Each structure stands twice: as structure tokens, then as C-alpha cells.
Amino acid sequence: MKSKAVTSAPPTRWWLYTGAALLVFLITCFSNNGTYITQKVLGLVGAAAVLAMMLFADKQRVKRLLTPPAFALFAYMLLAGISTLYARSGKFAIAEFSNMLAAFSVFTAIVLFSKEGKLSFRRTAAVLAGAAAPVGLLSIDAASCNLLMRPFRVLMELIGRGYGDTGSYFYSRLHTIVGNPNTYAGLMSIAVLLSIWLVFTAESRKQKIGYSILLMINTVSYLLAFSMGSLGVFVVACLLMLALSPKEGRIGLFLLLLQTAVVALVVGAVSVKGFGDTVTGSPLPLLMLAAGCAAACALEIFAREKLTSVLTGKGKLLIGIAAGLVVIGAVYVIAALQVTGAYTFGTEGDFRRTADLPAGEYTLQMQADAPVGVRVAYKNTNNLIQNNETDLANGTSDAAVTFTVPEDSELVFFYFSCAQPGVTLHQADYAGAETGSIKLGYKLLPSFVADRIQDLAANGNVVQRGVYRQDAIKLWKTAPVFGRGLGGFENGVVSVQDYYYETKYAHNHYVEMLCDLGVLGLLAFLSLLGTAVWALVKSRKEKPLIVMLLAACVLQMFGQAITDVIWSVGACMSMFFAVLALVTLYCGDCLRLSVSQKSKGGAVRWPVAAVSSVFVVLIGLNLVAQSIFYGDDLSMDDLKNCASIDLFEKNDYKLSYLISGGNEPGVADRYAAALSKEESNSITIPLAQYYAGSGQIDQALRTLDKGADYMRADKAVWQQMFDLYEGMIDPVGQLSAAQLLMEDTYVKRMTAGYEKLCEVNAAQLDDVLLTPQNNVFLNKLLAVAALAPYDTTKALTTFSDLALDTATAPDVDGNGMPDYAAVTAGEVIWNGGGAFTAQTDCTLVLDITVKNEGDYVLSVQADQPGGIAVDINGAAAALDAAGSTQPYEEWGGGDDSTITLHVKAGTTVERVSYMRV
């Protein structure tokens, strides 16, 4: 009898897959939360890994890259890499590209070293889903009991800098350890889709248990982030997965989606009660997560298969169940929005509600167990564009709160607060132009959902993101073909803003690609989508299970890119590039180019290796320069060496050389000339300081003019510009400044800067306002500019003795009132030239800074001097018959000084001045 040899299956190398998941997890964490140095180290390691893989992988593995999805990614990476060499900000560009290099190393590793086949695909999907799960688990823990996060921070800080203060918190939604909830949602949405597929295709009870736990961790943490844009795309992605699933498995997948949603919603709704106190800590979220995992496992093992068997072949019953669920869901949503009651404060301490109220006067009455504070605000169209609001009133539940809703109001907001947990706000009723009650506690909705839906009718985030996209298009027009380089939007958005805001991204990756990489970059990004869809369509019949997952992932990645920055941040890049690797390896094979058996894949191997080696060198030199720059005993020669070897941050070294007093013949002037050509949001002020300090006043003024044009919406730039003006031309203690006043050339140049600011404010949605010191300086400058004819002696006297003069006071916001003036009571009409008429008894406060010490006299020119009383720094001061006070001693040195005028109704004040005598 012959015996037959049986070959045992190779043992599963769990250590390898666990290590791979840990590596992807670390890349995800450090590419998002690490410092710039950490990110560049990650990029260096990624580039070196790609180089090694391309050099040492065998030819058959390299040939896997000879497919359109891989070519599209190569083009995208190449354009991004080249852009770092011409980017407006090399620092921003290389940091972002370093994240891309780390993600590209993940792509390369999966394509080259994963085996082809369903088993390998499953294991790779498990690695990716498993790499994301710790991010969700740690985020939930960090916002509650910090049991896991405390040791994790210590460990991560040992590996790489940037994690010492990392944490998360819950306010309306979960803000995670990778920061922005929308960014996090981009990562976790893919992890959830992978986990769903793993459970759906599980072949053993052990797999079902493990993957169900993974699914619940990822789903609950994704749901708690409550990114509405991401969730909207996710629902469509799930429907696509359902539509593409094999017909015989469609009912089972539907039930899996349903049971996951129900369990995750219950877990999330209860968990939010344990968020907020990260000091004493609440274990409730982790306990609920454990309970959710147990429930998911039980349903998967004992219920779903049996229910699937019952429903199989009963199409009409299934359709009826689905229709019933839709009806139940619709009824629940309607009821959830209507069934409300009292609100009991937890550890979160505050919540917001809204009401669409018509214009008019209102009174708000509250009933609570203890004092509850309220802030009433509203948003109009400009508020929505700027994503801010205007306060109407503040008060407590101890007394009625009155407020007036303006005609242009879009929505009224009520912010209730109480520092004492357990206090219940029973009722909040308003009466006036309309009568009603504010909906407080939503009985059928989790609190974080109730908070997030408050401003759906007038959402400032949505409107403001439209502004981001419009400004990105403006920037794209400055470099339409190749773009401004990676980080181009972040660097240049200040130059096109109609009001000042801070953002790194356009919140639409398609528009961001136009801005950063031009038309070519957008085409490359679209080719990622196009080639992926092409490969999926070609593989649909042969690999339906794989295609159903990858199609849903591709839809999620490219769909959420319309509203969020997920393709620009490190937290998502590795996951997205990994999905593209799965498309390339398991679906792109049907599109693979045919090459001779002898070919070693050189068409891919050597170009990718060459580009990788270039960036190994360039990033390496950058890190060497950075280590010198941040080291001890930095010398001028060190700065010059750094500037010569670092292509990305050379401007920082050149600027440091200048402001540190570097004066080697030819070097300083060459550096300054090079910096003056840059479009930057950080160079203007220090470069102008260098020019002014070296006596190059004309060049300093030109630099400031250019900076004011480029950053016209940034008040900090204008404030520093006028500080520099003052430092250059105010003659107190400066002989060089006195020389500038020998004629009015520089006075006119600086007055033109003030007039430019007035024009900017007239054109923008909000006003750039200056500091009290700026206002006093401009008052002097405008008084000198008004001298006719110009007189040097009078100019010197004005700068020396004038503290304020409403006749030449600055009015950058164009409201007719001096910028240092405020009407704190009553009503006035401004007549121009600093004159005003009191319509009612009123109080006018003039806040200034006094630079020079001495005795000052306040003079008030009015048609009824007896109708005016004045205070100087809180002390009453009598006006004589001429409208002047006795001399008042000021200490100078930039001390604040406050002059208060109490003016009776009907009195016209022509001019107020405060002069040293």
C-alpha cells in the first residue's frame, strides 16, 4: 500500500503581521503629531526604505508596479517631490512630502512583498484595520480615564519628540490623539470598511470574534468623531459595498451593517456620559466599548447567520423589513427632534442651542436648580462667512435676560453654562417679537448629536470652507500649470484673504492640488481615482469580494476629499496609499504591462530608486543643518553652512544671520536681496528690521510695502509695520530719526502706508485694527503730514509733545470716530475731523499711551464748555474758560492713559487735544 505525503500549510507568521500593524500605527501617529523634525526623519526613513526595496526586490515583484494605478501614483509623487524645490515655503513643502514618502514606503512594501491571493489580501486588510484600532482606543481612553494614554505618551516621547502633550477631549464630538475629528474620520472610515469586510468574509469562529472586536472599536471611535461630511460619504460607500457584494451574501452583509450600526450607536450614546473629566477619569467609555465588543461577537456568532438563513429566498419579506426600518428611522428622527425636556449638566459644563428668531426685542426667563449662565449671540451673513458670531447679551437664570435680535440675523445662539455637575435647567422661555421655549434636553438623541445639529440651517464651517476654496482658486491663478508647490496654500492664503483667518488647507483636496501643484497636479490626483476605478471595473467579475471592499474604500477616500483635508495630513496618507497598493496588486494585475521574461523592471526600478536617493540626500542634509541650527554654540559660519546645504529651510538661516548681526562683506547684502524676493508670511518684519537697523530706510519701507500687500488681512503685520515706522522716524532719543524729518519725504511715505490700510479695510469684510501705541504714533504722523507748509521744527515738536489730537486722529476702520475713542454711554454723531455732537448725555473714553514724560494739558474746544466734565486717569479735572485743564503729570514710557469726557446732550465738541507743555 502506497503512502501519500501530506504537506502541511506554512505556519502563520503572526509576529510579522503584528509588527507590520505596529509599524503602520507608528507612522500614522508620528506623521501627524510629531514635530517637523520627526516628520522629516520619518520621510528620510521612508525614502531610504523605498530605495532599498527597489534595489533588492526580485524582478517579478518589481514588475507588479508595471500597471496604470502604480504609474498614476508615481506621477503624483514625482510632481509633489519636484514642487518642494520651487515651493514658496520649502519648510512646509518638505514636511508634507516627508509624510508622503513615509506613506509611499507602505505602498511599496505592500505591492512588492505581499503574496497574491485572497488569504494574503485578508491578512493585509487585517493589518491595516488593526493599525487603526489603537488610535481609536487611545483616543477614547485619553478623553476619559487616561488609563492607557499615560504610559503611551511616555513611550512615544522616547521614540520621537512631539507626543509629550498629546491627548484628546470630547466637546460636541471626540477630538482624537491625531487632532481634528474630520481628519481622524478619514482614517477610521477606511478602517471600518476593512473591518466590515473582514467580518463578512471570516471563515472561522475565531476570525469572527477577532474581527468583530476590531470592527466595534473602529466603528465606535469613528462614530464619536461625528464628522458629518465623512459619515455622509460613508453611508454611500456602504450602499456601494452592498450593491457590489455577491447576491448570495447580500442579506448577510445588510444584517452585518445593521447590527454594527445599532450596537455602535448604543455604545456611543451611553459613552458620552463618561467623557469630560480626564483628571479623575471615568471608565464608562471603555466599559461600554468592551460591552459593545461582546454584543457584536454574540450577534455575529449566534444570530446573524441564523437570521440570514431565515431571510434567504424571501425577497418580499426582506424588502418589507427594509422599508419598515426606513419608516421607523424616519419616525425616530422626527420624534427625536421634537421630544425634549430639561437638561442636566454633566462634567462638560456647557451646551448650546439655537432658535430662528425674527428681529425684535426679547426677554429670556430660565428655571434651574442653581444659577445657570447664558450667553446670547447671533450670526448674520458676514458672521457665517467668517465663522464667528456677535454677542447680544450675557446673564444668569437668577434674572431675566433681555436682548435684541437685529434685522440681518440668520440664527440666534444660546450658550448655557454651569460649573456644577448635576444641576438641571428645567426651562428657558423667550418672549418678545415671538414667544416660545428653547429645546434643551433631547431625550432620544445623544448629547453630542443634539449639539452638532443645532446650526445645520446656518453652519459657519460650511460657508467658510467655501471661502477657503475661493481663495485657493485665486492662488492657483498665480501659478496655473505647476502650482505654488506643496504648502503653497498655507503660505499664500494671507495674500488673497478678504478677512483674516488661519488655516493650513483649502478643505478640498482637488482645489488644493490646483493651488499647490497646478493643473498637472490635479490631473495626477484624478488619475489616481481614474486608474483605480478602471482596475476595479476590469476585476469585478473575477474578484467580486475584493472589488466590493476596495470600491467602497476608493469612494470614501476620494469622496471625503471634497470637504476635508484628509489627503494632506499624515494620519490618513499611509492608510490611503495602502488602499491604492491593494488596488494595484490585487486588481491592477489585469492591466499590467506585458514585458519580456528577461526584463528586470528597470523602467520602474531605476527611476523610483533615483528619486528616492535624491530625497534621502536632500532630507539628510536638511536634518544635518537643523541639528547644527538647534545645537549649542551656533556661529555665523554655521548659519552660512546651513544656508548652503539645506534647500528647504535656507531662508530661515539667512534671516537668522541678518538679525544676529552678521556683517561679512557681501554675504549680508546677498542674503537680504535674496530674501526680499521671497513671497513669505514670516520674512517681512525681521527683514525690514535688518534694513532699518543698517540704515537702509528706503529698502526697509519697500519691504514693508511688499509685506503689507502680501499679508493685507493680518493685523499683526500692520501693527508691527507701524511699530517699525515709529522706530525709524520718531525723533525722541534718535538723531537718525530727526534727520529723516528734515523734509517730508518719509512722512509722506509712511502716511501712504496708513492710507493703504484704510483702503484695505474699506474693501475687506472685517477691519484691521491697531494697537493704542500705533494709534498715538499715527496721530503724530498725521499731524505732521497736515503741516502746511511743512516745518521741521514743528514736526519735531509734534512728535515730542503730542499725546492726542482728534483733529488728526487715525480712523482706519472708516467709521468717522478716532480709533482710540469709544462711546461707553449715550449716543453721539460724528461730524468729521474728530468733531462730534452729543445726541444724548454721553460718555466718551479716549485710550492712549504716553511715550514722553512731562506735564500735559487737556484742551477741549466745544460750543458749550459748561456742558463737559473730564477725568484724566480716573481723577476729575476742571476745565477753565478756555477749555483747558491744569497740567497733569505723565510718567511716559508707553504707559496707558485714559481720558474720559462726560458730555451733555446737544453739545458739539470740535476738537480734543492732549499736549505736553
Side-chain angles (χ1 to χ4, degrees), residues 435-775:
T435 302
S437 297
I438 298 171
K439 295 178 180 179
L440 300 173
Y442 286 78
K443 302 302 182 182
L444 301 178
L445 284 179
S447 59
F448 70 97
V449 176
D451 188 85
R452 289 282 288 164
I453 65 173
Q454 290 302 308
D455 59 352
L456 289 180
N459 191 294
N461 284 326
V462 174
V463 177
Q464 191 175 49
R465 290 183 184 189
V467 175
Y468 297 164
R469 292 190 288 272
Q470 292 171 8
D471 287 345
I473 293 297
K474 294 176 187 176
L475 283 173
W476 164 64
K477 292 178 180 179
T478 66
V481 179
F482 297 103
R484 299 170 60 86
L486 287 180
F489 177 80
E490 180 181 2
N491 167 268
V493 67
V494 291
S495 67
V496 294
Q497 292 173 341
D498 290 327
Y499 67 94
Y500 184 71
Y501 59 82
E502 293 182 358
T503 183
K504 294 177 67 175
Y505 308 108
H507 288 265
N508 180 308
H509 197 70
Y510 301 93
V511 176
E512 180 125 2
M513 281 300 94
L514 265 180
C515 176
D516 288 0
L517 302 181
V519 172
L520 295 179
L522 177 61
L523 291 175
F525 184 67
L526 290 174
S527 71
L528 293 178
L529 173 60
T531 54
V533 171
W534 183 16
L536 292 170
V537 170
K538 294 284 287 185
S539 304
R540 169 75 176 92
K541 293 182 180 180
E542 183 181 349
K543 303 172 182 177
L545 288 176
I546 289 177
V547 169
M548 64 178 274
L549 169 63
L550 294 181
C553 290
V554 168
L555 173 61
Q556 184 70 40
M557 294 188 310
F558 288 91
Q560 193 179 341
I562 297 173
T563 58
D564 292 316
V565 303
I566 52 176
W567 279 88
S568 298
V569 294
C572 297
M573 282 187 191
S574 295
M575 184 67 78
F576 291 176
F577 278 42
V579 170
L580 294 176
L582 295 176
V583 172
T584 299
L585 180 59
Y586 295 100
C587 297
D589 55 345
C590 63
L591 303 175
R592 198 170 293 163
L593 299 183
S594 298
V595 294
S596 67
Q597 188 65 28
K598 295 182 179 180
S599 172
K600 296 182 179 181
V604 171
R605 186 192 301 268
W606 301 121
V608 174
V611 174
S612 299
S613 62
V614 167
F615 279 96
V616 167
V617 174
L618 293 181
I619 298 176
L621 290 174
N622 170 267
L623 291 172
V624 169
Q626 289 282 282
S627 66
I628 295 172
F629 185 66
Y630 289 107
D632 297 329
D633 303 321
L634 183 67
S635 68
M636 293 298 174
D637 286 338
D638 289 334
L639 289 172
K640 291 193 297 180
N641 290 335
C642 290
S644 65
I645 67 173
D646 187 353
L647 292 181
F648 306 116
E649 299 182 61
K650 58 182 180 295
N651 289 341
D652 288 352
Y653 312 129
K654 292 177 180 179
L655 197 58
S656 296
Y657 181 89
L658 295 179
I659 63 180
S660 298
N663 56 6
E664 182 178 334
V667 175
D669 288 341
R670 186 173 73 253
Y671 283 177
L675 291 171
S676 66
K677 298 175 183 178
E678 297 290 336
E679 291 183 359
S680 170
N681 52 19
S682 61
I683 289 177
T684 295
I685 298 302
L687 181 59
Q689 289 172 332
Y690 161 75
Y691 279 129
S694 60
Q696 302 177 66
I697 303 300
D698 289 314
Q699 191 61 43
L701 293 176
R702 281 195 289 270
T703 300
L704 290 172
D705 287 342
K706 179 182 177 181
D709 284 336
Y710 191 71
M711 296 174 284
R712 63 178 185 269
D714 189 348
K715 69 177 181 181
V717 172
W718 288 100
Q719 291 169 356
Q720 293 176 74
M721 184 178 89
F722 289 117
D723 284 340
L724 277 173
Y725 279 1
E726 182 176 6
M728 285 187 276
I729 205 170
D730 191 328
V732 178
Q734 299 184 79
L735 179 60
S736 59
Q739 292 173 339
L740 297 183
L741 291 172
M742 296 304 292
E743 56 183 38
D744 64 352
T745 302
Y746 292 105
V747 172
K748 291 180 179 179
R749 288 281 301 274
M750 294 180 184
T751 302
Y754 163 77
E755 292 169 349
K756 180 186 294 184
L757 176 55
C758 293
E759 293 172 0
V760 167
N761 280 340
Q764 293 194 152
L765 291 175
D766 63 348
D767 294 319
V768 172
L769 300 179
L770 303 176
T771 66
Q773 181 179 336
N774 294 152
N775 289 330

Side-chain angles (χ1 to χ4, degrees), residues 228-266:
M228 291 187 287
S230 178
L231 285 169
V233 179
F234 182 78
V235 170
V236 179
C238 288
L239 293 175
L240 178 62
M241 179 184 279
L242 197 61
L244 293 178
S245 63
K247 186 176 180 180
E248 64 274 12
R250 201 163 292 162
I251 294 175
L253 179 58
F254 172 76
L255 293 175
L256 175 60
L257 294 172
L258 181 62
Q259 76 183 30
T260 302
V262 171
V263 175
L265 281 169
V266 172

Side-chain angles (χ1 to χ4, degrees), residues 828-911:
V828 305
I829 292 180
W830 291 92
N831 306 320
F836 67 91
T837 300
Q839 295 297 99
T840 63
D841 290 350
C842 66
T843 300
L844 178 71
V845 177
L846 306 171
D847 286 317
I848 60 173
T849 61
V850 178
K851 185 173 184 178
N852 303 321
E853 66 175 321
D855 292 334
Y856 285 76
V857 170
L858 177 68
S859 298
V860 180
Q861 298 177 16
D863 61 351
Q864 301 177 43
I868 300 173
V870 301
D871 299 332
I872 301 177
N873 292 327
L879 295 174
D880 60 22
S884 300
T885 65
Q886 292 296 313
Y888 181 87
E889 184 178 10
E890 294 277 7
W891 292 98
D895 286 349
D896 294 335
S897 190
T898 301
I899 295 169
T900 305
L901 277 65
H902 306 281
V903 186
K904 291 185 177 180
T907 302
T908 295
V909 176
E910 297 293 341
R911 184 177 187 180

Side-chain angles (χ1 to χ4, degrees), residues 327-392:
V327 172
I328 291 172
V331 171
Y332 178 83
V333 170
I334 294 172
L337 296 175
Q338 300 301 321
V339 179
T340 59
Y343 183 94
T344 300
F345 288 91
T347 55
E348 73 285 351
D350 56 16
F351 70 99
R352 68 171 182 170
R353 293 294 181 260
T354 61
D356 186 6
L357 301 179
E361 295 183 358
Y362 291 85
T363 300
L364 178 68
Q365 297 276 3
M366 294 175 284
Q367 296 179 15
D369 296 341
V372 171
V374 64
R375 178 172 66 88
V376 186
Y378 84 101
K379 290 186 178 183
N380 58 19
T381 302
N382 279 349
N383 291 133
L384 291 174
I385 293 173
Q386 299 176 57
N387 199 19
N388 58 22
E389 59 196 18
T390 303
D391 286 347
L392 296 176

